[in-house]
Amino acid sequence: MTLLILVFGFLFGAALQHASLNKYNVISGMATLEDLTVAKAIALAIGVGVILINFEIGLGLATYHVKPFMVGGILIGGLIFGIGMAVLGYCPGTLAISLGEGSLDALTGIIGGMLGGWVYTLVLPSIEPLQGANLGKISLHSLTGENPTVFYLLVVVIGLVFIAAAFGVHKLEKSTSKKWIGAGIALALLNVIIFSTATFNRPIGASTVYPYLGDLLTGTTSNAYFEKIEASGSWQLLFLGGAFLSGLVLSLLRKDFKLTLIHENWQKYKGNSSAKRLVWAFAGGFIMIFGARMAGGCTSGHAISGGMQIAIGSLVFAVMAFAGLLGTGKLFYKGLK
């Protein structure tokens, strides 16, 4: 099973690299609305996944893994996550891939993320009231499941709307590259396989590994939160280990492996200072993971996997995360020097 998790992590990394979705320039470009590859790929992945996963579950081949809609956690945590993601220029899953390709700021972000996850474990008892009301595991299925005809009709319609949105954004962007299509479909198929009860019976996720490692390294394991995340954290460690190997192996095969700290987009907006990039990458990783743990997930576990299940909390998280990403992109890159 360990080898299988590594293999699927490798495939996950390969899918993202196919369209450069792990790259700092692409993710920070999304924050400044100069590169919409991330939005297109996520929308397509959700659209295809909505149809495939809900029918897969309907056939008894998988089960739902909807996250509870914690109002404060989703709203506040999602916004914080987006802020950190914009500053860092990576999301939790892409950090491992880019580190494999030689991005040193990704390593700094990982260290900041582990500290953010550890701090979250420490302060959770005192900030728990901020999580707000628990509205439960609300999804389209929980709202309409007793009427399968309506449910599956809406599944198809919602899936097609997301797919149409992806291609609509592509048309507006007037980009010539179509690699995002392959990446989006691959992400959907990977989720379908990993959701299956014949394989892992779980969603893809990436942010839990950061508090897991942070808590392990500091010995902060005798608490309810660590016990809650231990199984998921250990699975994600192997999965992202495969993603790291994907970044390393494929970049070596492409002959573009290179130790890099200052990327083109960072240089364009923030200059050539290595110290400045290291500080902001560390801070971005800390903020992003803290927000992810408040919200109970990240781009992979909430926006994509949750979106495919048409989980209301996950869709709200995606809106808040993109609001934080775009707002910070405008202020941090175009407003602050």
Side-chain angles (χ1 to χ4, degrees):
M1 187 62 76
T2 296
L3 179 59
L4 195 59
I5 299 172
L6 285 169
V7 168
F8 276 99
F10 191 98
L11 294 174
F12 172 76
L16 295 184
Q17 287 176 82
H18 176 70
S20 298
L21 295 174
N22 64 295
K23 303 283 190 182
Y24 167 82
N25 287 335
V26 173
I27 295 176
S28 62
M30 178 69 238
T32 57
L33 291 177
E34 294 169 297
D35 190 322
L36 303 181
T37 307
V38 172
K40 293 185 295 187
I42 289 178
L44 180 61
I46 292 175
V48 174
V50 160
I51 297 170
L52 295 181
I53 283 179
N54 282 282
F55 277 91
E56 178 188 29
I57 294 172
L59 292 170
L61 302 175
T63 57
Y64 285 106
H65 299 279
V66 175
K67 296 177 183 290
F69 190 168
M70 306 291 295
V71 178
I74 293 289
L75 296 177
I76 301 171
L79 192 63
I80 293 173
F81 175 85
I83 292 170
M85 184 176 167
V87 171
L88 177 59
Y90 300 102
C91 60
T94 64
L95 280 168
I97 305 166
S98 292
L99 175 60
E101 293 180 330
S103 292
L104 298 176
D105 55 338
L107 175 60
T108 309
I110 288 171
I111 296 170
M114 288 193 294
L115 180 62
W118 175 64
V119 169
Y120 180 78
T121 301
L122 296 179
V123 304
L124 177 58
S126 59
I127 67 169
E128 209 153 13
L130 290 176
Q131 295 286 355
N134 184 350
L135 302 183
K137 298 181 178 182
I138 309 174
S139 67
L140 181 68
H141 184 263
S142 71
L143 296 173
T144 65
E146 293 184 4
N147 191 329
T149 302
V150 172
F151 171 69
Y152 286 110
L153 178 61
L154 289 174
V155 160
V156 173
V157 170
I158 292 171
L160 292 177
V161 166
F162 272 100
I163 294 170
F167 283 96
V169 170
H170 180 67
K171 187 175 180 180
L172 287 173
E173 190 181 24
K174 298 180 181 178
S175 171
T176 56
S177 175
K178 295 183 179 179
K179 288 185 176 181
W180 62 273
I181 299 175
I185 293 172
L187 284 174
L189 294 176
L190 281 171
N191 271 277
V192 168
I193 295 169
I194 291 173
F195 260 82
S196 171
T197 52
T199 55
F200 302 110
N201 190 26
R202 58 167 296 120
I204 290 177
S207 66
T208 307
V209 71
Y210 294 90
Y212 172 75
L213 286 175
D215 292 356
L216 273 181
L217 291 172
T218 57
T220 314
T221 57
S222 299
N223 58 80
Y225 183 66
F226 182 80
E227 291 175 7
K228 178 182 176 181
I229 67 170
E230 186 174 9
S232 182
S234 61
W235 189 93
Q236 289 181 16
L237 180 60
L238 289 170
F239 186 76
L240 293 185
F244 166 79
L245 290 174
S246 176
L248 178 62
V249 171
L250 295 182
S251 65
L252 289 173
L253 290 175
R254 294 191 306 262
K255 298 182 179 180
D256 60 6
F257 174 87
K258 183 181 179 181
L259 294 178
T260 308
L261 177 60
I262 307 296
H263 298 275
E264 182 181 328
N265 244 26
W266 182 268
Q267 183 180 33
K268 174 182 175 181
Y269 287 107
K270 312 302 285 186
N272 289 313
S273 170
S274 296
K276 188 175 183 180
R277 177 55 185 152
L278 287 170
V279 168
W280 281 114
F282 182 87
F286 183 101
I287 294 167
M288 179 180 71
I289 296 302
F290 193 93
R293 297 328 305 153
M294 270 198 78
C298 63
T299 319
S300 302
H302 248 322
I304 298 178
S305 296
M308 290 175 180
Q309 299 173 85
I310 321 177
I312 307 305
S314 293
L315 293 174
V316 173
F317 166 83
V319 171
M320 296 305 297
F322 267 97
L325 178 77
L326 298 180
T328 305
K330 184 175 181 180
L331 175 64
F332 181 73
Y333 289 104
K334 296 185 176 182
L336 295 177
K337 300 296 182 184

